[in-house]
C-alpha cells in the first residue's frame, strides 16, 4: 500500500511525555511513548496493533486521530494533512474518525439518556437539526441491534455487552470512515466479547469502515485484523498480513507473544511451552540502546546492543526489525519458537555465515 491509496497514513510519527517532580514541579524525565512510527490503513481495512501494557499502542492510536499531538512526523487522512487542519476543518475530520474506548462502564455518563449519549457527537459537530439528530441516533442504534425504545433509558439498566453496543452506536452516529478501537472487548466476558467482535465485523462489511484495533491480546487481534503491527517500547517491530504475523512471525518478541497466547490449536501455534522473557519490560524513560528488546531477547548478539535494527520487508510486505531474523526466512513461525526454546531443529547460520 502506498500513501496515495491509504485512508490514514503516518510517517515518522513520534511522541514523548515529560514527567515532573510532584513537589518541586521541575522537569524530571522524558517518556518515549511512540518512536518514529510509519504505517498505513486502507479504506475498509482493519489494522490490529498488539503489544504489552506500556508498548505505546494506545498512545499511537490517539496520536493517529490527533487526540494527542505528535512531536514529529506527518499524518494524512483521506488525502488531507491532518496536522494542518484546525477549527471547522478539524471538527469535520473528527466526525470521520471516531473512537470506541475500552470500558463501557466508565465511558458512558450514567446521568444521560441513551439518546443524549449517542447523539452527543452530532451536537458537538453542529449542522444537523434536532429531528435529524434523532433520526441518526435511531439509525445508529438499529445498526448495533438496539431498538428505539432504549432512547429514554440510562446506562445503568444495561449489561456490559449492551453498553458497548451503545458506545459503538455513538462512534457510528457521525458515519465515520475510520474507528479507533482501544481494547474494545477487554472489559467484557468471553461470550459477550465474541458477539461484540462479530458486530464490529458486520458493521465493517455493511459500511466499509476501517478499524485501527488496539489490544494486548494477540488472539483477539488475529481474529479481527487484516494486517497486524506488533509494538514494543514505542516502536513497530513486525508488521504484515494477519495470518503471516500470527503464524510465520519473524521477531523474537512476536514469538513470545504467540507462545503466551491461549491458542485453540496448540500444535500449530507452538504452545507446548511458553517462552518466559527475562525481566520486565524496560522503562520507556530510559529505553535500552540499539534494539530495545535486547536485554530480554534469547537471541541477542553484541550488535543488538549498539545498532537499532530497521524494519526490513519481504516482497509480500511482511516486515521484521531484527538483526538476526529479518533476512533469514528459515527463522519463521514454529522454527523460530524452537530456536528460542533452545530446541533448534535445523542448522542455523549467523548473519556472517558461520554456524551458531
Ligand atoms: Fe533479539 Fe537482536 Fe533481533 Fe533485537 S535485533 S530481537 S536483540 S536478535
Amino acid at each position: 500500500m502506498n500513501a496515495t491509496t491509504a485512508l490514514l497514513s503516518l510517517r515518522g510519527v513520534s511522541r514523548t511525555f515529560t514527567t515532573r517532580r510532584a513537589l518541586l514541579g521541575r522537569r524530571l524525565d522524558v517518556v518515549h511513548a511512540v518512536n518514529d512510527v510509519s504505517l498505513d490503513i486502507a479504506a475498509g481495512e482493519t489494522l490490529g496493533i498488539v503489544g504489552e501494557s506500556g508498548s505505546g499502542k494506545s498512545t499511537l492510536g490517539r496520536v493517529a486521530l490527533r487526540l494527542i499531538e505528535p512531536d514529529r512526523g506527518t499524518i494524512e487522512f483521506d488525502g488531507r494533512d491532518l496536522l494542518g487542519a484546525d477549527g471547522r476543518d478539524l471538527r469535520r475530520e473528527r466526525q470521520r474518525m471516531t473512537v470506541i474506548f475500552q470500558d463501557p462502564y466508565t465511558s458512558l455518563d450514567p446521568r444521560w439518556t441513551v439518546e443524549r449519549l449517542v447523539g452527543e457527537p452530532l451536537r458537538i459537530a453542529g449542522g444537523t437539526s434536532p429531528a435529524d439528530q434523532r433520526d441518526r441516533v435511531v439509525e445508529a442504534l438499529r445498526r448495533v441491534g438496539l431498538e428505539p425504545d432504549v432512547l429514554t433509558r440510562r446506562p445503568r439498566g444495561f449489561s456490559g455487552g449492551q453498553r458497548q453496543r451503545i458506545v459503538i452506536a455513538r462512534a457510528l452516529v457521525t458515519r465515520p470512515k475510520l474507528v479507533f478501537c482501544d481494547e474494545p472487548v477487554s472489559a467484557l466476558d468471553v461470550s459477550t466479547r465474541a458477539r461484540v467482535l462479530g458486530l464490529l465485523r458486520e458493521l465493517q462489511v455493511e459500511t466499509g469502515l476501517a478499524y485501527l484495533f488496539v489490544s494486548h491480546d494477540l488472539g483477539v487481534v488475529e481474529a479481527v485484523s487484516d494486517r497486524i503491527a506488533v509494538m514494543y517500547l514505542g516502536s513497530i517491530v513486525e508488521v504484515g498480513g494477519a495470518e503471516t504475523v500470527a503464524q510465520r512471525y519473524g521477531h523474537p518478541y512476536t514469538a513470545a507473544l504467540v507462545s503466551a497466547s491461549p491458542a485453540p490449536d496448540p500444535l500449530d501455534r507452538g504452545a507446548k511451552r511458553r517462552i518466559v522473557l527475562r525481566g520486565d519490560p524496560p522503562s520507556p524513560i530510559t529505553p535500552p540502546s540499539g534494539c530495545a528488546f535486547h536485554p530480554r531477547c534469547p537471541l541477542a548478539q553484541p550488535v543488538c546492543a549498539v545498532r537499532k535494527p530497521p524494519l526490513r520487508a519481504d516482497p509480500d510486505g511482511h516486515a521484521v526489525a531484527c538483526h538476526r531474523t529479518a533476512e533469514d526466512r528459515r527463522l519463521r513461525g514454529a522454527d523460530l519458537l524452537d530456536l528460542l526454546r533452545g530446541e533448534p531443529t535445523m542448522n542455523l547460520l549467523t548473519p556472517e555465515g558461520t554456524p551458531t
Side-chain angles (χ1 to χ4, degrees):
M1 192 189 317
N2 57 46
T4 57
T5 62
L7 175 65
L8 180 72
S9 182
L10 275 61
R11 291 290 173 270
V13 167
S14 298
R15 172 68 202 215
T16 56
F17 297 98
T18 54
T19 59
R20 292 172 190 279
R21 195 185 300 270
L23 287 177
L24 302 179
R26 259 192 267 140
R27 175 177 291 191
L28 188 63
D29 291 313
V30 177
V31 177
H32 301 266
V34 175
N35 188 12
D36 194 20
V37 168
S38 297
L39 55 81
D40 295 313
I41 304 176
E45 179 186 48
T46 299
L47 175 68
I49 311 249
V50 66
E52 292 166 295
S53 171
S55 60
K57 56 191 187 304
S58 289
T59 303
L60 174 62
R62 285 170 165 78
V63 168
L65 269 65
R66 211 181 150 192
L67 302 174
I68 298 174
E69 298 287 339
D71 299 328
R72 285 199 307 277
T74 61
I75 304 175
E76 276 193 14
F77 178 64
D78 212 7
R80 294 196 190 87
D81 172 17
L82 188 65
L83 300 180
D86 55 14
R88 196 194 312 181
D89 284 348
L90 186 56
R91 279 201 301 280
R92 191 188 59 225
E93 298 304 341
R94 290 243 163 88
Q95 288 185 65
R96 305 196 305 144
M97 313 165 82
T98 58
V99 189
I100 298 170
F101 288 114
Q102 175 177 357
D103 190 346
Y105 292 90
T106 56
S107 56
L108 295 175
D109 189 325
R111 297 164 303 173
W112 287 14
T113 63
V114 170
E115 180 173 3
R116 186 172 174 195
L117 286 165
V118 175
E120 182 68 358
L122 292 174
R123 279 189 293 281
I124 291 172
T128 46
S129 69
D132 285 345
Q133 286 175 19
R134 191 181 179 92
D135 289 347
R136 296 268 290 269
V137 169
V138 169
E139 174 196 301
L141 287 171
R142 286 214 159 108
R143 277 204 184 284
V144 301
L146 294 171
E147 291 302 319
D149 59 5
V150 303
L151 283 171
T152 55
R153 292 174 56 189
R154 289 181 167 73
R156 66 174 168 275
F158 295 96
S159 67
Q162 287 172 320
R163 285 177 191 226
Q164 199 59 315
R165 284 174 191 266
I166 295 169
V167 171
I168 295 170
R170 185 171 59 186
L172 294 180
V173 76
T174 55
R175 297 175 184 154
K177 289 192 160 191
L178 173 74
V179 179
F180 166 37
C181 305
D182 189 7
E183 302 263 13
V185 295
S186 59
L188 304 176
D189 63 63
V190 173
S191 62
T192 309
R193 186 178 297 186
R195 283 200 297 276
V196 169
L197 291 177
L199 172 64
L200 290 173
R201 188 68 200 160
E202 279 168 27
L203 293 167
Q204 185 172 49
V205 171
E206 280 172 23
T207 64
L209 274 173
Y211 293 128
L212 176 58
F213 191 102
V214 161
S215 176
H216 66 281
D217 185 330
L218 182 62
V220 168
V221 166
E222 183 187 358
V224 298
S225 302
D226 299 300
R227 289 186 302 127
I228 295 175
V230 181
M231 276 191 88
Y232 186 78
L233 221 62
S235 298
I236 290 178
V237 296
E238 180 157 12
V239 61
E243 200 178 317
T244 305
V245 171
Q247 296 183 10
R248 300 292 299 156
Y249 42 88
H251 196 281
Y253 176 63
T254 314
L257 289 181
V258 169
S259 84
S261 177
D265 184 348
L267 287 179
D268 283 356
R269 306 293 298 279
K272 61 183 179 181
R273 190 148 60 82
R274 178 179 175 168
I275 296 169
V276 179
L277 296 173
R278 294 193 292 253
D280 296 322
S283 165
I285 294 170
T286 49
S289 59
C291 172
F293 189 54
H294 84 260
R296 305 171 80 195
C297 181
L299 302 186
Q301 296 183 323
V303 65
C304 303
V306 229
R307 204 151 42 85
K308 180 174 179 174
L311 268 173
R312 290 200 190 93
D314 293 340
D316 66 357
H318 179 203
V320 177
C322 174
H323 291 306
R324 291 203 59 189
T325 64
E327 289 178 351
D328 190 340
R329 293 179 66 85
R330 297 170 309 160
L331 292 177
R332 294 287 187 267
D335 290 332
L336 177 57
L337 268 186
D338 286 340
L339 179 65
L340 291 165
R341 290 187 182 115
E343 303 162 2
T345 54
M346 58 190 167
N347 292 322
L348 299 169
L349 301 178
T350 64
E352 290 75 37
T354 52
T356 57

